[in-house]
Amino acid sequence: RSHAGPRDTASAPPPHRLAAMALRLSCRRLAEKVPDVFVQFGLEQQFRFISHPGVMAVSRLLEMRQVARMRATFTQENIEKMKAFDPELARKAQIAYDHKLPINFSQLEIIEDSLPRLLEEKKQLDTARAQVAKLPVGGPYELPKGLDISAARPVPGQKDLQGTMMELAELQNPGSQAAILEGPAKEIASKIASKQIASK
């Protein structure tokens, strides 16, 4: 049997010193640069590269089509080149360019109808970005109270098809989305379609 003598108990630091040491070590760790990660894609044809984990997280979010939708920001040079093969599309792109609107190509098709909402969405998102940029480093990271994003689309829980991948299809062929959906979503899509037909 072994007994802890007076020397053994005296050598262990008190609990408050242990907590201070742990805090000091963790703060030192937080001050360090985040290490790059080694990434590999593919099985048979492997593609490897090194990247920052923050870049990988943002890239992954951009790949999730329901979280983020890619939008084009046109230049006058882009529009001039578009005129050679699609004058109507170039005309709509000019509208987006004149209003400084980054726009998804499915939204570009109906830009004249949705322009008021898109302009309001742009204004609301600019305000939201400015307010979020003022949040203190370290949080709490919460959207400021009273922030209006009512014109932003798509958003979780919305009751219409505006800004979604289904909007253009529904406008061109009312009832098309209800025909391919099942369950409660089918009923919601049918109501939306009937409202859109009635408004025409």
Side-chain angles (χ1 to χ4, degrees):
R1 273 187 344 185
S2 62
H3 295 280
R7 182 179 293 177
D8 295 321
T9 53
S11 64
H16 69 278
R17 290 282 308 276
L18 285 173
M21 286 169 54
L23 179 63
R24 188 170 63 249
L25 288 173
S26 61
C27 287
R28 187 185 306 161
R29 193 84 180 123
L30 287 172
E32 294 177 6
K33 178 180 178 269
V34 177
D36 289 339
V37 293
F38 189 71
V39 186
Q40 175 179 312
F41 283 118
L43 297 173
E44 294 180 9
Q45 297 180 339
Q46 293 179 351
F47 174 63
R48 298 182 182 94
F49 62 94
I50 295 173
S51 184
H52 188 280
V55 173
M56 297 305 299
V58 171
S59 299
R60 184 64 182 148
L61 285 171
L62 290 174
E63 288 171 5
M64 299 169 77
R65 297 176 67 189
Q66 302 301 328
V67 174
R69 299 196 68 194
M70 303 300 283
R71 295 186 181 196
T73 302
F74 294 107
T75 64
Q76 197 61 53
E77 184 183 358
N78 299 146
I79 296 166
E80 293 303 319
K81 289 180 180 178
M82 289 168 71
K83 288 178 181 176
F85 64 88
D86 194 336
E88 180 62 14
L89 191 65
R91 185 184 67 78
K92 292 176 178 179
Q94 186 70 52
I95 296 171
Y97 176 77
D98 291 342
H99 291 90
K100 296 180 174 58
L101 278 174
I103 191 159
N104 184 279
F105 272 90
S106 63
Q107 289 290 300
L108 185 61
E109 286 290 325
I110 54 174
I111 190 169
E112 291 163 308
D113 297 327
S114 56
L115 186 60
R117 184 191 66 78
L118 291 170
L119 290 173
E120 183 61 25
E121 178 187 58
K122 181 176 184 279
K123 192 193 323 180
Q124 288 179 1
L125 292 179
D126 286 344
T127 303
R129 287 186 189 104
Q131 291 189 27
V132 168
K134 293 177 185 174
L135 292 175
V137 175
Y141 297 118
E142 296 175 356
L143 285 176
K145 290 178 180 174
L147 188 64
D148 182 17
I149 53 169
S150 57
R153 294 287 189 278
V155 291
Q158 72 182 68
K159 304 293 184 193
D160 55 39
L161 297 177
Q162 290 182 350
T164 67
M165 291 182 285
M166 297 187 286
E167 182 181 19
L168 186 59
E170 192 65 32
L171 287 172
Q172 292 177 346
N173 186 12
S176 61
Q177 300 310 306
I180 61 171
L181 295 172
E182 296 179 0
K186 184 181 183 75
E187 185 180 341
I188 294 168
S190 299
K191 288 179 182 176
I192 292 169
S194 62
K195 285 179 186 175
Q196 287 179 343
I197 292 168
S199 66
K200 288 185 177 181

